Amino acid sequence: SGVVLARYPDSRYADDALLLLGKSLARLGRHEDAVAAFRRYLERFPEGGGVTEARLAMARSERLRGEPQAARLALGPLLEAGGERLSAEILYERSMLDLATGDHASAVEGFREILERHPEFARRHRVPLAFAEAELAAEDYDAALEAYAAYREGARDVAAQREVALRVARALALAGRPDDALGTYDEILSAPLPDTLAARLHEERGRILAAEGRAEEAEVAYRRVSELAPGTPVAAQATLQRGRMAWREGGRRQEALELLLDAFLHAPSSAFADSARSEVRDLARLIH
């Protein structure tokens, strides 16, 4: 595409090359460059056959690079032109923007419309999962859990089933059902998992157990994290929580100091290490 645009900028292939350039940059995750390419296309070929595709792709890249307002501006003309019967692609992008900006009710409505009117598109783009996320963000936990369950039944891939099970566990915790959440975590952990994922699950279990006042079980979960993934941010996070438990709940200051230092050493450049370092200073002042 770059060669065509450089050598033959006025040829009849320039519009296709520019559109393909933007799409390729987006696939590479270079969304800022992709947006620039799509904008050039719209400026040079405002009546081109790829205008809708360029606007939609530009909105998606703006959203993925964390610019939802710019994404809405890009999507605006498509929403106006589409009227009440928007295409699945435009409706999906609008709903994803609603979800990203906190308009959860509109996101739920949009995803539901896709599920009803465009079932094949919904299947390909995992819309039931996005629908469940929107319900969860709207704090309609029962609806979210029902949507997760429906998606999980149709998921044939083991990794997809595991992903949904994890989201269910987190949703159950948010819904105030800690025992059910812990049971779901245990179910996931009963299967072979990569150490890094297992460590993350044990850390999440530890937080639920700590919140429920089950300090000894939380301690076991946090220790398991450090065993599975030493020297990682999640190990720093788990060790930081252990230090806080020893200090604020057990009054064991010296032990807490050592744990907080250990949390820092696991991943010195992480945000958890910054918290540990700050708390070490406060605790050291108390001790000395």
Side-chain angles (χ1 to χ4, degrees), residues 105-150:
S106 294
V108 167
E109 181 182 339
F111 289 133
R112 182 179 287 117
E113 185 176 347
I114 296 172
L115 289 167
E116 292 172 355
R117 288 179 45 210
H118 309 284
E120 182 56 28
F121 177 92
R123 184 190 64 78
R124 291 198 315 271
H125 291 77
R126 305 205 310 172
V127 170
L129 204 54
F131 178 70
E133 293 291 296
E135 294 278 25
L136 183 63
E139 298 184 357
D140 191 342
Y141 300 119
D142 289 340
L145 289 166
E146 183 179 343
Y148 281 132

Side-chain angles (χ1 to χ4, degrees), residues 86-106:
L86 296 173
S87 70
E89 292 84 356
I90 297 171
L91 191 57
Y92 176 77
E93 196 54 44
R94 188 193 71 182
S95 301
M96 291 297 287
L97 275 171
D98 289 336
L99 187 58
T101 54
D103 191 350
H104 304 132
S106 294

Side-chain angles (χ1 to χ4, degrees), residues 10-80:
D10 298 319
S11 75
R12 62 191 182 96
Y13 301 109
D15 57 344
D16 288 338
L18 193 50
L19 186 59
L20 182 57
L21 177 64
K23 291 163 66 176
S24 299
L25 289 165
R27 281 293 189 97
L28 291 169
R30 296 169 55 184
H31 294 294
E32 186 173 356
D33 294 333
V35 166
F38 293 132
R39 187 172 289 117
R40 282 173 59 199
Y41 179 93
L42 293 170
E43 290 170 353
R44 285 191 59 185
F45 308 103
E47 305 298 325
V51 165
T52 296
E53 187 177 5
R55 280 202 170 277
L56 186 61
M58 184 164 75
R60 184 178 302 114
S61 282
E62 291 282 27
R63 172 174 61 81
L64 291 172
R65 76 188 189 102
E67 297 291 344
Q69 298 310 316
R72 284 202 186 279
L73 286 174
L75 200 62
L78 301 183
L79 295 174
E80 294 170 7

Side-chain angles (χ1 to χ4, degrees), residues 5 10 13 18 33-34 72 89 107 113 123 149 153 161 168 172 175 198 202 215 221 227 283 288:
L5 292 168
D10 298 319
Y13 301 109
L18 193 50
D33 294 333
R72 284 202 186 279
E89 292 84 356
E113 185 176 347
R123 184 190 64 78
E153 285 179 9
Q161 292 177 347
V168 166
L172 287 166
H202 280 294
E227 293 168 359
L283 183 53
H288 299 295

Side-chain angles (χ1 to χ4, degrees), residues 126 148-162 164:
R126 305 205 310 172
Y148 281 132
Y151 180 83
R152 191 178 183 184
E153 285 179 9
R156 299 173 184 173
D157 182 75
V158 173
Q161 292 177 347
R162 185 172 64 202
V164 179

Side-chain angles (χ1 to χ4, degrees), residues 146-219:
E146 183 179 343
Y148 281 132
Y151 180 83
R152 191 178 183 184
E153 285 179 9
R156 299 173 184 173
D157 182 75
V158 173
Q161 292 177 347
R162 185 172 64 202
E163 178 189 358
V164 179
L166 178 53
R167 296 190 188 207
V168 166
R170 291 168 177 164
L172 287 166
L174 288 172
R177 295 167 57 183
D179 290 338
D180 291 334
L182 290 168
T184 305
Y185 277 115
D186 290 340
E187 176 190 337
I188 303 169
L189 285 164
S190 67
L193 298 174
D195 286 351
T196 52
L197 176 58
R200 169 56 63 189
L201 299 188
H202 280 294
E203 190 279 326
E204 293 181 15
R205 285 184 71 255
R207 276 186 281 142
I208 295 173
L209 291 164
E212 290 297 299
R214 296 159 65 175
E216 290 184 5
E217 293 174 82
E219 172 78 13

